[in-house]
Amino acid sequence: MSQVKAYSLFTDFDISLFKAGKHFKLYEKFGAHSMQFEGEGGVYFSVWAPSAKSVAVVGDFNYWDGSEHMLNVRWDSSGIWEGFIPLAKKGMRYKFKITSNNNNIITEKVDPYAHYFERSPNTASIIWDIKDYTWKDKNWMGYRKDKNDLDKPYSVYEVQLGSWKKNSEGEFLSYRELAVELVNYVKEMNFTHVELMPIMEYPYDPSWGYQLIGYFAPTSRFGSPQDFMYLIDAFHQNDIGVILDWVPAHFPSDQHGLGLFDGTHLYEHPDTKKGYHPDWKSLIFNYERNEVRSFLISNALFWLEYYHIDGLRVDAVASMIYLDYSREEGEWEPNIFGGNQNLEAVSFLKDFNTAVYNNFEGVQTIAEESTAFSGVTKPVDQGGLGFGMKWMMGWMHDTLAYFSKDPIHRKFHQNELTFSLAYAFTENFMLPLSHDEVVHGKKSLLSKQPGDEWQRFANLRTLYAFMFMHPGAKLLFMGSEFAQYEEWNFEKSLDWNLLEFLPHKGMLNFVKDLNLFYKETPALYEKAFSTEGFEWIAYDDNENSVLSFLRKGHDSENDILVVCNFTPTLKVNYKIGLNKKGYIKEIFNSDLLPYGGSGVKNAESVEVSHDTWNQRKFSASITLPPLGVVVFQHVDE
């Protein structure tokens, strides 16, 4: 006989919002909630399983016996099963035992809204309370908007927590250990933000976290939910914003997960042309189903509310918005207008972004979107998808292709560097050098560079400097800041021992200073997404493989001149056109000795002459170090 007491957290209004795809706080209703009812302590459980014949809660409180605690189905055809179980309490493991109307198949499923899970490879959900953490980031949350706006510096350190660093026994660092080691490191390196590759609970380590089971739970690999809050809190207390990778595109088909949840295609689209991802062998959410939309948007808002997250980087957006993504002819069907856009996914993304920006101030959403889809960062009310930023994948691919070439051939490929400026202001772009570029045989960023050892390091410094001077926000994957030799391997720590060697230590010093220069130079971020923030001096000096341009902020007195030499040839008396008379002084140089460079510098100040050059009234003769980027600022007479 069931020992479940009838109880509900759902109002009629909740149900109507859920069915309409407009309930964005489902985490307050679904799942396991510790409470008092009729003088007894226990847990209220609820789960959506409209095609279930019966749903039982099995766990530590009933010896995993599926006959003791049968939930009650609501009368309103919502498909919600619920009830209060007096014996359940925090820390106990549980699952939902679902008997389907479809051939009476019985499966044990995790709670889609669980806040905590057993350590992988175990799979049970754990009853947990996440409201008992005392945050200490009030200051950050108060001025976050001023740190996180699009006219502020955005230098992001991308991290996979399991492989950033391991302890002396080769085991994961805990969230609380990372709150010391990783936070101090990111702060010392002068990054403004950290981006964590997916930390939601996932069953399979080689997925790097991109195939999620527990959308509402930080993985227990590194500690408890409160431990993860402690890590976020530590970042915020050190003025570092936190971005989470979020994966609403697909999920794994593991038997205990969301797939065939109630014996039917509940969360995934029933048509494999829309519901199965051939590349990742995973299931695709059904964006046509309102309850699924409510689940996903509630999940996004959950991390922003309960974990004080500052931004969500949305993974694999292109796979969501195109019906023919990674599919051959005959493997997809056009939409009602005959096109290849997934109209429901597009609509979902608009609803997601609208909900995020309407409910939270000072946050950003960032799209990993690799196509020319128009209006990704355009406001929804103007016909766009509504993201705050978009990864500039074209810049990444073109720039890495250019830098992989021997400098002797670069004069024939200068357009690979300049092309990005033809569309740089069509979206709010973030320039990524991400994890995807240093795995699967693509080699590390250092190994992509041509030449001898000195030239490889100089090339890499030039690449980073060009990236930071180029309009847009910045993202650098862990290990790249000290020029890791090997590709990233998720199974082991980064090669921190390389810092014993001067070239790697020099690269670390360079990135630290580059970040600081970026943060302290308003011209590099105040108009990073506007044509007003950039002006070419010369993009056509192919013969010398030199690019020169101005970056501009709100105050023209802070404008800077950037000159890039992409060859190993020292260039003395290189003439550059200028808009003002007076002097220019060198304020940044990628070739300094502490960075492992050759130490070539300009004089303390360089006089500007009245000679016309580059179609400008004034000019100056400067020295360009080999494979180097030099930045100047104007000084009045």
Side-chain angles (χ1 to χ4, degrees):
M1 182 175 176
S2 177
Q3 302 175 31
V4 175
K5 294 187 177 183
Y7 184 79
S8 182
L9 287 178
F10 288 91
T11 66
D12 290 345
F13 187 54
D14 286 324
I15 299 300
S16 64
L17 288 177
F18 178 47
K19 289 182 175 181
K22 298 298 182 182
H23 200 312
F24 301 150
K25 291 197 172 186
L26 290 177
Y27 45 86
E28 295 179 348
K29 309 292 180 177
F30 278 116
H33 299 269
S34 297
M35 57 182 297
Q36 292 279 327
F37 179 57
E38 295 182 343
E40 282 187 291
V43 174
Y44 164 79
F45 292 92
S46 59
V47 64
W48 179 51
S51 292
K53 189 176 189 178
S54 66
V55 177
V57 185
V58 295
D60 293 334
F61 43 85
N62 60 18
Y63 303 101
W64 299 86
D65 183 348
S67 65
E68 288 199 29
H69 293 107
M70 308 295 295
L71 296 180
N72 306 304
V73 66
R74 287 182 62 90
W75 53 269
D76 53 15
S77 73
S78 62
I80 297 172
W81 299 75
E82 60 185 352
F84 176 81
I85 300 178
L87 298 176
K89 60 184 180 181
K90 178 181 175 180
M92 288 183 168
R93 300 171 301 158
Y94 70 102
K95 285 185 178 180
F96 293 116
K97 190 169 187 177
I98 299 175
T99 303
S100 173
N101 275 319
N102 181 15
N103 298 322
N104 288 323
I105 296 173
I106 301 175
T107 55
E108 288 188 359
K109 294 288 190 179
V110 298
D111 179 359
Y113 292 85
H115 296 316
Y116 197 18
F117 282 84
E118 286 187 286
R119 175 78 178 265
S120 175
N122 297 320
T123 59
S125 306
I126 299 175
I127 300 168
W128 205 256
D129 184 2
I130 62 169
K131 296 181 180 179
D132 60 352
Y133 179 81
T134 302
W135 287 88
K136 299 177 181 177
D137 64 348
K138 182 178 179 181
N139 288 340
W140 168 268
M141 296 301 285
Y143 56 64
R144 175 173 70 176
K145 187 175 185 299
D146 294 329
K147 293 276 188 177
N148 226 21
D149 269 357
L150 294 178
D151 63 348
K152 298 301 187 295
Y154 232 93
S155 175
V156 183
Y157 186 56
E158 186 189 22
V159 178
Q160 206 267 347
L161 291 182
S163 56
W164 179 71
K165 185 183 287 186
K166 297 185 186 292
N167 65 20
S168 56
E169 286 77 40
E171 299 171 338
F172 296 139
L173 297 182
S174 70
Y175 289 128
R176 289 183 180 262
E177 289 171 326
L178 289 161
V180 177
E181 294 204 34
L182 178 59
V183 171
N184 287 343
Y185 181 76
V186 173
K187 183 177 183 178
E188 179 188 356
M189 291 301 297
N190 294 311
F191 287 98
T192 64
H193 294 73
V194 65
E195 179 178 318
L196 304 181
M197 290 167 64
I199 53 79
M200 300 80 177
E201 194 58 77
Y202 57 98
Y204 186 51
D205 282 4
S207 78
W208 310 336
Y210 286 100
Q211 299 218 3
L212 308 180
I213 287 291
Y215 271 76
F216 288 83
T219 177
S220 57
R221 287 167 174 81
F222 315 114
S224 71
Q226 281 77 5
D227 293 335
F228 183 57
M229 292 175 181
Y230 185 87
L231 172 60
I232 305 305
D233 211 350
F235 275 120
H236 286 171
Q237 291 175 56
N238 285 277
D239 275 354
I240 298 164
V242 181
I243 303 164
L244 292 189
D245 274 13
W246 186 55
V247 191
H250 64 118
F251 58 92
S253 59
D254 295 57
Q255 189 173 6
H256 62 286
L258 295 178
L260 293 173
F261 190 79
D262 61 356
T264 68
H265 299 286
L266 188 62
Y267 286 91
E268 70 272 23
H269 199 287
D271 182 352
T272 56
K273 292 181 178 179
K274 289 184 176 181
Y276 179 75
H277 200 294
D279 284 353
W280 303 316
K281 308 295 186 290
S282 55
L283 304 175
I284 300 171
F285 283 105
N286 184 357
Y287 308 109
E288 299 170 21
R289 192 158 197 166
N290 285 337
E291 295 91 340
V292 173
R293 295 164 74 104
S294 285
F295 168 80
L296 286 170
I297 297 176
S298 290
N299 182 243
L301 269 57
F302 168 80
W303 293 102
L304 300 174
E305 179 176 349
Y306 279 99
Y307 286 88
H308 293 197
I309 297 304
D310 308 296
L312 294 172
R313 177 264 194 187
V314 183
D315 183 62
V317 171
S319 76
M320 298 171 65
I321 59 180
Y322 288 110
L323 295 166
D324 59 347
Y325 182 90
S326 197
R327 297 179 189 271
E328 302 296 329
E329 188 174 347
E331 295 178 345
W332 66 281
E333 292 179 357
N335 60 36
I336 58 173
F337 301 111
N340 66 342
Q341 285 188 21
N342 186 330
L343 301 178
E344 291 76 20
V346 169
S347 169
F348 160 74
L349 289 170
K350 291 180 178 182
D351 285 353
F352 150 72
N353 279 308
T354 300
V356 167
Y357 285 108
N358 282 349
N359 285 279
F360 296 91
E361 188 176 48
V363 300
Q364 296 291 344
T365 62
I366 305 163
E368 188 225 1
E369 203 286 306
S370 55
T371 74
F373 188 94
S374 178
V376 172
T377 59
K378 196 174 181 180
V380 171
D381 59 8
Q382 297 178 26
L385 292 184
F387 283 94
M389 282 182 270
K390 168 183 171 173
W391 275 20
M392 199 176 194
M393 310 291 274
W395 171 87
M396 179 174 68
H397 294 144
D398 289 347
T399 301
L400 291 178
Y402 177 89
F403 272 87
S404 69
K405 294 178 173 64
D406 189 300
I408 198 170
H409 303 302
R410 288 179 177 174
K411 64 182 178 180
F412 304 111
H413 298 276
Q414 191 140 317
N415 63 302
E416 291 178 3
L417 290 186
T418 59
F419 179 64
S420 60
L421 272 306
Y423 63 92
F425 306 107
T426 59
E427 302 276 8
N428 299 331
F429 282 115
M430 174 178 281
L431 280 59
L433 291 173
S434 74
H435 66 275
D436 278 329
E437 299 310 306
V438 293
V439 290
H440 300 323
K442 294 180 182 178
K443 301 189 292 189
S444 69
L445 293 182
L446 179 67
S447 298
K448 295 178 196 287
Q449 310 304 315
D452 58 25
E453 182 181 75
W454 188 92
Q455 289 185 357
R456 288 202 304 275
F457 279 89
N459 263 305
L460 195 56
R461 291 194 303 272
T462 302
L463 166 59
Y464 293 164
F466 175 66
M467 170 188 180
F468 274 71
M469 303 307 139
H470 189 290
K474 329 294 175 188
L475 178 140
L476 192 64
F477 182 58
M478 64 181 197
S480 301
E481 75 277 13
F482 60 82
Q484 176 137 331
Y485 267 121
E486 294 184 359
E487 285 190 343
W488 170 52
N489 182 349
F490 76 93
E491 294 184 304
K492 68 185 193 74
S493 169
L494 298 179
D495 294 329
W496 295 102
N497 61 301
L498 291 175
L499 291 175
E500 299 171 12
F501 303 98
L502 290 178
H504 298 277
K505 184 65 175 176
M507 185 64 71
L508 189 84
N509 291 334
F510 170 71
V511 172
K512 183 190 302 185
D513 286 357
L514 182 61
N515 269 325
L516 183 62
F517 179 72
Y518 170 63
K519 290 199 298 184
E520 294 181 344
T521 308
L524 289 174
Y525 56 80
E526 287 182 340
K527 296 181 178 181
F529 307 109
S530 167
T531 55
E532 297 176 354
F534 180 87
E535 179 186 335
W536 280 117
I537 296 295
Y539 58 83
D540 55 356
D541 189 3
N542 301 48
E543 195 60 37
N544 284 303
S545 295
V546 172
L547 289 178
S548 53
F549 51 86
L550 300 176
R551 291 299 311 278
K552 305 176 180 182
H554 297 317
D555 185 350
S556 62
E557 295 300 314
N558 293 327
D559 291 356
I560 59 171
L561 166 67
V562 180
V563 190
C564 310
N565 177 15
F566 299 112
T567 74
T569 303
L570 171 67
K571 302 186 191 304
V572 181
N573 294 322
Y574 184 85
K575 202 168 185 180
I576 192 82
L578 298 169
N579 296 328
K580 298 179 183 178
K581 59 184 179 179
Y583 296 85
I584 57 173
K585 65 175 181 178
E586 181 181 292
I587 58 174
F588 189 84
N589 186 328
S590 68
D591 189 52
L592 300 183
L593 291 173
Y595 306 151
S598 60
V600 172
K601 296 191 291 187
N602 283 270
E604 187 171 334
S605 65
V606 178
E607 186 174 5
V608 177
S609 74
H610 285 74
D611 294 342
T612 301
W613 198 256
N614 297 133
Q615 300 175 341
R616 284 166 173 76
K617 293 170 65 175
F618 306 100
S619 62
S621 293
I622 58 176
T623 299
L624 297 182
L627 292 170
V629 175
V630 188
V631 183
F632 299 88
Q633 195 157 36
H634 182 265
V635 181
D636 289 330
E637 292 179 290

